[in-house]
Amino acid sequence: MAKKEKRFIVKEEQSFYFGAILVVVDTATGVNYLVTYGSGANGVTPLLDANGNVVVDSTARYMPE
């Protein structure tokens, strides 16, 4: 049985006192999402660049270093 590839991977993570902020990449589309979780502050939103455009990795199948 072949191992199923993960659809979402954590690209970056920063912890805070009661939670964390993550940048998660959808490996099928390359879209980056900002994910927050912790003490009542949970959410997911597309990550935007300085011009307000959605951040998309150039390759759909992102491979971390």
Side-chain angles (χ1 to χ4, degrees), residues 4-20:
K4 185 176 179 182
E5 290 186 38
K6 292 183 179 182
R7 171 77 186 255
F8 298 96
I9 59 169
V10 176
K11 183 176 179 180
E12 194 169 329
E13 180 176 2
Q14 187 170 356
S15 297
F16 290 100
Y17 296 105
F18 297 105

Side-chain angles (χ1 to χ4, degrees), residues 1-64:
M1 185 172 186
K3 183 180 176 184
K4 185 176 179 182
E5 290 186 38
K6 292 183 179 182
R7 171 77 186 255
F8 298 96
I9 59 169
V10 176
K11 183 176 179 180
E12 194 169 329
E13 180 176 2
Q14 187 170 356
S15 297
F16 290 100
Y17 296 105
F18 297 105
I21 295 176
L22 304 125
V23 175
V24 176
V25 178
D26 180 342
T27 61
T29 64
V31 174
N32 286 238
Y33 294 93
L34 188 65
V35 178
T36 61
Y37 67 89
S39 181
N42 304 319
V44 177
T45 188
L47 184 64
L48 305 178
D49 65 14
N51 297 317
N53 299 313
V54 175
V55 176
V56 179
D57 286 0
S58 59
T59 57
R61 290 291 170 196
Y62 177 83
M63 296 303 295

